[in-house]
Amino acid sequence: WAKHSEWNFENKLLLLEAESHFSNYEYESAETTYLASIDSARRHKFVHEEGLASDLLASFFIDRGDVEKGIGYLQGAFSCYEKWGAFGLLKHLRGY
């Protein structure tokens, strides 16, 4: 399957790589790879996966002390979740 539809798996693989970089304290690589995952999901119209990657990048920035950037990506994640129709998830996240 992957050979015939690489685009279908690209953003997922990039997100896993970003998480791996983050867990190995490779912050610059993690940020770059999160952004690549978001871009891939956006280009291929996977709005739910764009939201997830944006959500994780928001946590990445907030955990590292850059709250302003984190909030920006969290707002992007919320927008994606809203487009996807994940209103229960939005309600849960807004309760934090």
Side-chain angles (χ1 to χ4, degrees):
W1 292 89
K3 289 180 184 178
H4 300 290
S5 60
E6 184 178 320
W7 60 272
N8 194 34
F9 300 99
E10 179 182 70
N11 73 296
K12 298 164 187 68
L13 177 60
L14 288 166
L15 187 55
L16 289 171
E17 289 174 355
E19 289 286 282
S20 177
H21 288 306
F22 178 62
S23 67
N24 288 309
Y25 309 101
E26 300 164 350
Y27 299 128
E28 192 172 313
S29 295
E31 181 179 349
T32 301
T33 314
Y34 281 122
L35 291 169
S37 177
I38 291 167
D39 180 61
S40 175
R42 185 177 297 136
R43 281 186 289 114
H44 297 110
K45 310 221 183 313
F46 293 119
V47 69
H48 58 299
E49 292 170 356
E50 179 185 348
L52 175 60
S54 297
D55 197 345
L56 290 171
L57 182 56
S59 294
F60 168 82
F61 282 123
I62 292 168
D63 288 349
R64 302 208 55 238
D66 194 341
V67 176
E68 190 173 319
K69 251 187 184 178
I71 289 171
Y73 281 100
L74 195 56
Q75 289 171 337
F78 282 16
S79 175
C80 289
Y81 293 151
E82 189 170 38
K83 287 177 193 171
W84 186 36
F87 302 113
L89 176 59
L90 285 169
K91 183 178 179 183
H92 171 76
L93 291 174
R94 288 185 175 135
Y96 277 46

